[in-house]
Structures are given as C-alpha cells and as structure tokens.
Amino acid sequence: MIEILPETPAIHAAAIEDLFDRTFGPGHFAKTAERLREYSASVPDVSRVAILDGEVVGVCRVWPLVVGERRDRALFYGPVAVAPSHRGDRLGLRVTQAAMEAGREAGWPAAILIGAPVYFTEIGFVVTPRGRLSFPGPQDQSRIMVSDLAGEASALEGLVTAP
C-alpha cells in the first residue's frame, strides 16, 4: 500500500532528486520554474512523497513564492513526478492534492502550478487569465494555474518570484 507523507529531507532528498532526473531528464534545470526554485528552499512540511515498500514512487515538492507589487504569499507546487511503474494510476494527483491540503492547513493563501490543465483542473486548479501572472523567463501562459488554499488565488497578479 502506498503511503503519502510529508517530505523528510534527510531521508527522501536523494531519492526525490533521482526520481526527478529519471522523470524529466537533465533538461528540467533549464525551465523557467527552476529559476524560482534555485533561489529558494522547499517547504518539507507541505511537500508530499508517495512511499511504497520504502521507495519514493511519487513526489510533489512545494516552494514559497511572492507575487506582484503587494508581495502576496503563495506556494509553488511542483515538480510533480511519479515513477514509471505507477504512472496512469493518478498518483500524481493524489500526492499533489495531499500537498494542497497541507498548504491549506498551514494557512497559505494560494497555490500556483505550471502543468497540464486537463490533469490538474481535476483537483481544483484553474488556468489564470493570460498575462495575470508573469515569471522570470518565458512561460506558456496556457499552463499557469492557481488554486485557493486558505485564501483567494484569484487576487494574485504580477511577477512571481522567490521570497
């Protein structure tokens, strides 16, 4: 049975990085989303890992962000990765939804995610209006999504940056 737990960096970090490398390849470091992550530290209490027989088979890492001139707080969800042996069983959605619940319980107002709308809208993400959010590099506007946590994501507007 798969357990979904908070990330414990001392235990899970190496396995998570290995899963990211196997899932996305070395090119994932060139993505705009990585510009936000490289100047920040993840939030392990909100991030979630899926564990089966002691092995990390899924992960949703979560990062703090600030948005716009008002410097609204938000969480950045991703990367979301699932081991090839568990793709197709909705594990990515389950681990992301568990991380969203943790973010809500921790009082974070909103979630931002860059991903496939056909997939992530099932758990409450909505595509933002074109130009509402911008990133420190090129980003496909049709893949930028937000979700309410303990506040209203629709209020987010402006440049998304690391805190």
Side-chain angles (χ1 to χ4, degrees), residues 113 120-121 124-129 144-147 153:
L113 182 138
F120 289 104
T121 55
F125 281 94
V126 296
V127 176
T128 61
I144 301 170
M145 293 174 279
V146 297
S147 181

Side-chain angles (χ1 to χ4, degrees), residues 121-143:
T121 55
E122 291 186 35
I123 58 171
F125 281 94
V126 296
V127 176
T128 61
R130 184 167 292 283
R132 170 78 49 91
L133 298 175
S134 60
F135 289 79
Q139 185 54 59
D140 180 349
Q141 293 282 308
S142 68
R143 297 175 55 83

Side-chain angles (χ1 to χ4, degrees), residues 65-125:
L65 296 174
V66 292
V67 181
E69 292 179 12
R70 295 186 331 202
R71 304 205 38 92
D72 291 322
R73 294 177 344 123
L75 289 174
F76 190 36
Y77 282 72
V80 176
V82 175
S85 58
H86 291 82
R87 290 191 188 136
D89 67 1
R90 310 182 71 66
L91 182 57
L93 288 178
R94 292 190 348 242
V95 75
T96 302
Q97 195 163 30
M100 289 172 68
E101 290 169 12
R104 187 176 297 110
E105 290 171 8
W108 286 87
I112 298 173
L113 182 138
I114 298 171
V118 70
Y119 190 70
F120 289 104
T121 55
E122 291 186 35
I123 58 171
F125 281 94

Side-chain angles (χ1 to χ4, degrees), residues 15-25 55-57 83-84 87:
I16 289 170
E17 291 303 322
D18 179 61
L19 181 58
F20 288 157
D21 289 345
R22 289 185 289 129
T23 301
F24 304 114
E55 179 185 347
V56 174
V57 294
R87 290 191 188 136

